[in-house]
Amino acid sequence: MHSRREFLKRASAAGVGALTVSAITPSLSPLAAGESRSVVIGSGNGLAAVAKAMEMIRDGADALDAVVAGVNIVEDDPNDMTVGYGGFPNEDGVVELDAAVMHGPTHRAGAVASLRNIKNPSKVAKVVMERSDHVLLVGEGALRFARVHGFKEEDLLTDKARAEWLKWKENLSTHDDWLPAHTPETKDIGSVYEAYVRSTGTIHCSARDLKGNISCVTTTSGLAYKIPGRVGDSPIIGAGLYCDNEVGSAGSTGRGEANLVNCSSVMIVEFMRQGKTPEQACLDACKRIVDHNVMRRLKKDDGRPDFNVSFYAMNKRGELGSAALYSGAMFTFHDGATAQRKECAYLFKR
Ligand code: GLY
């Protein structure tokens, strides 16, 4: 019932010459004119999350309740070392979590950053939205807010994450985030993202519910072994996630700094507002990141970024798309029939 179509085309982006763009359309049956559907899209680690979210949507849940319940499964899972409990710690060995939610029908958002000791930051973010006049709380203030709302504190560092952190600490080389003074031409410093020890995994999930409302969530333990207090894109509305109930929703995983300086998620939603498909909007955001990536230390010898970023998007009708800078990235979705995992479209073949 699903069709899979691939095409190749030539494109160009400043600084890297002609690129091969390979786009793979989501394996969903096309919508007829005027038709729409309830769907859920997530990052590659989101199979259980999209399944849970769709189960709740079928029962009539609001899209935001559904996606938060979905990502809670991954936040609770010690084996996903990029999110919640068991996530990679900062350079001091302390787990600091970032998360944000955005609710399409009321165009509200809530977020927490550098939150310690609470394993479900996405739930706290939702309470920030519902029970405060603010959008973003950080650090000690976020923890105190969570405490007074009854969230239980616990040690989030598992033995497995502690062992990985120790390995990194005992083998420190260039794989940290402290940089000497440098120029745009400086290379071979701060080489972090290709190193086996660093991770920018995260979970994003967007959904359209039975009423046609759209919401989204992004939650993460952030960059492994980050400088304490480092905040990535995940809790920043417009960077790591964004939705407009009349247009669609978008979110991201990967190098958060690239999304922070490009406001990537709001850019994707605005591209969709202009009429681009979700996949094309994601690919165009990838190209924008490449165009803006002028620092030599963040480029490989071929001029391409030495990091990856992946995007996930859906439009108001429930059409989906996903793209990454490099091949091999995965996304998940639920079309109402099954939860599936597919490769994202991409700019560059690895
Ligand atoms: N995208 C997750 C992070 O950079 O923290």
Side-chain angles (χ1 to χ4, degrees), residues 29-42:
S29 48
L31 289 169
E35 198 188 350
S36 58
R37 60 159 75 90
S38 291
V39 282
V40 185
I41 189 167

Side-chain angles (χ1 to χ4, degrees), residues 110-150:
V112 289
S114 294
L115 177 65
R116 300 182 175 192
N117 298 351
I118 307 287
K119 75 175 174 187
N120 295 121
S122 63
K123 281 188 186 169
V124 184
K126 188 162 178 281
V127 179
V128 171
M129 181 186 89
E130 291 168 341
R131 302 291 291 272
S132 84
D133 190 34
H134 304 313
V135 170
L136 172 62
L137 296 179
V138 305
E140 179 61 23
L143 178 57
R144 282 166 52 185
F145 182 84
R147 261 190 220 124
V148 302
H149 282 282

Side-chain angles (χ1 to χ4, degrees), residues 98 200 202 220 222-223 230 232-234 253-257:
D98 298 338
T200 47
T202 294
T220 188
L223 176 65
R230 178 263 188 189
D233 59 322
S234 304
T253 60
R255 178 176 160 81
E257 282 72 9

